[in-house]
């Protein structure tokens, strides 16, 4: 860092340095909760946040590992979306659920290319071959886009509904507190 010819921005601030803590404790739940709260308080409309999450989910389901976050930041910049919401959406492509997306992509790809569901080599008694692997990769690459579109559409609808419920509830809280303080409502 000291040998760099250009100034380097500090990504992790230490010792109560003023500024945003971008990458500090990203693996802990409170950091994710804070990120979600920051996105909710960003002042964007429900449709804008839902679109950002949908784009992130679309990119998270695609099998482009290693490029998902970089591509998500680029797309968020080009489409003028909230980058934090897009990054939160890409987290649907984390390893535990990636197997489901790969299986669905292979099945849909086989259905689109051969008009029938996939037959797995292990059930046919055949051994592994490179031809079979390349065939699966072709099915996955063809089927990933429709699966990503379906999952992204569902996530947009779900995010829009959840944001609507959360924001209505938050808007109603101050009214309830004032009514309780004035003695108009029972606390039970």
């Amino acid at each position: 860092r000291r040998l760099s010819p250009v100034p380097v921005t500090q990504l992790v601030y230490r010792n109560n340095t003023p500024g945003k803590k971008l990458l500090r404790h990203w693996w802990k739940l409170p950091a994710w909760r804070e990120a979600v709260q920051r996105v909710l308080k960003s002042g964007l409309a429900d449709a804008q946040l839902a679109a950002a999450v949908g784009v992130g989910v679309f990119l998270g389901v695609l099998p482009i590992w290693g490029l998902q976050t970089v591509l998500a930041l680029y797309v968020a910049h080009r489409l003028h979306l909230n980058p934090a919401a897009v990054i939160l959406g890409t987290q649907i492509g984390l390893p535990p659920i990636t197997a489901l997306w790969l299986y669905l992509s292979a099945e849909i790809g086989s259905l689109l290319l051969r008009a029938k569901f996939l037959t797995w080599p292990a059930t046919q008694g055949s051994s592994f071959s490179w031809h079979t692997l390349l065939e699966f990769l072709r099915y996955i690459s063809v089927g990933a886009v429709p699966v990503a579109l379906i999952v992204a559409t569902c996530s947009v609808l779900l995010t829009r509904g959840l944001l609507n419920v959360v924001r209505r509830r938050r808007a109603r809280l101050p009214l309830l507190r004032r009514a309780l303080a004035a003695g108009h409502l029972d606390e039970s």
Side-chain angles (χ1 to χ4, degrees):
R1 181 176 156 172
R2 290 181 184 170
L3 299 175
S4 175
V6 295
V8 176
T9 58
Q10 187 174 359
L11 293 177
V12 179
Y13 292 97
R14 302 186 196 287
N15 302 331
N16 297 328
T17 306
K20 295 180 183 176
K21 299 175 183 175
L22 296 177
L23 296 177
R24 191 171 195 178
H25 304 298
W26 61 268
W27 61 90
K28 294 184 179 178
L29 185 61
W32 286 100
R33 190 175 296 135
E34 181 185 337
V36 169
Q37 288 176 353
R38 205 180 298 166
V39 167
L40 287 175
K41 293 178 182 177
S42 64
L44 294 175
D46 292 350
Q48 291 173 324
L49 284 178
V53 170
V55 168
V57 167
F58 177 79
L59 294 172
V61 172
L62 290 179
I64 50 172
W65 305 289
L67 296 176
Q68 288 175 334
T69 304
V70 174
L71 191 60
L73 288 172
Y74 175 75
V75 169
H77 175 72
R78 296 296 293 173
L79 297 178
H80 303 287
L81 297 172
N82 187 332
V86 175
I87 295 291
L88 285 173
T90 61
Q91 300 308 306
I92 198 165
L94 290 177
I97 199 165
T98 301
L100 173 67
W101 304 136
L102 289 176
Y103 173 74
L104 289 174
S105 298
E107 287 289 346
I108 298 296
S110 173
L111 195 63
L112 290 174
L113 291 177
R114 298 186 318 162
K116 62 181 182 176
F117 285 109
L118 204 55
T119 54
W120 295 92
T123 61
Q124 297 174 349
S126 63
S127 62
F128 172 79
S129 70
W130 288 106
H131 176 69
T132 307
L133 179 66
L134 291 175
E135 188 177 344
F136 281 137
L137 289 176
R138 186 173 61 125
Y139 294 151
I140 288 170
S141 61
V142 168
V145 175
V147 169
L149 281 172
I150 292 168
V151 174
T153 303
C154 292
S155 72
V156 166
L157 296 174
L158 183 66
T159 304
R160 185 87 188 259
L162 286 174
L163 284 171
N164 193 7
V165 168
V166 166
R167 289 192 172 165
R168 276 188 189 173
R169 199 173 280 174
R170 282 194 180 179
R172 206 172 36 189
L173 264 175
L175 296 174
L176 289 175
R177 286 186 185 145
R178 275 189 265 149
L180 280 173
H184 295 298
L185 294 175
D186 261 349
E187 289 188 25
S188 55

